[in-house]
């Protein structure tokens, strides 16, 4: 499970459900330091990074477990 969010509450919710927390700071009020403090596994600065991140960390992980 992956939670994508831009607030501390999103990161806390992700951790409460043992999900992977992706912090996003392309919204004007989002703060990287806060997201990290509250448990973001990664913080992305631009929406395009989400595609790259999903491909790198999740699609490849799925493909490697099938071998």
């Amino acid at each position: 499970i992956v939670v994508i969010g831009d607030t501390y509450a999103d990161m806390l919710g992700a951790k409460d459900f043992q999900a992977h927390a992706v912090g996003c700071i392309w919204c004007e009020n989002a703060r990287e330091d806060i997201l990290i403090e509250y448990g973001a596994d990664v913080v992305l600065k631009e929406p395009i990074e989400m595609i790259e991140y999903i491909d790198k960390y999740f699609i490849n992980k799925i493909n490697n477990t099938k071998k």
Side-chain angles (χ1 to χ4, degrees):
I1 298 172
V2 177
V3 173
I4 302 165
D6 62 355
T7 68
Y8 76 93
D10 296 332
M11 300 304 105
L12 288 176
K15 293 307 169 183
D16 284 348
F17 288 98
Q18 300 177 349
H20 190 81
V22 178
C24 301
I25 58 170
W26 53 79
C27 299
E28 66 181 62
N29 294 325
R31 291 184 38 200
E32 183 173 13
D33 59 328
I34 297 293
L35 298 176
I36 291 169
E37 179 180 342
Y38 284 90
D41 294 302
V42 64
V43 176
L44 305 177
K45 293 177 173 70
E46 300 291 333
I48 192 70
E49 291 179 292
M50 182 58 64
I51 296 167
E52 297 164 356
Y53 185 74
I54 289 170
D55 184 52
K56 184 176 180 182
Y57 290 98
F58 294 103
I59 303 302
N60 287 335
K61 187 175 181 178
I62 290 168
N63 289 337
N64 288 334
T65 59
K66 291 181 180 179
K67 293 179 181 180

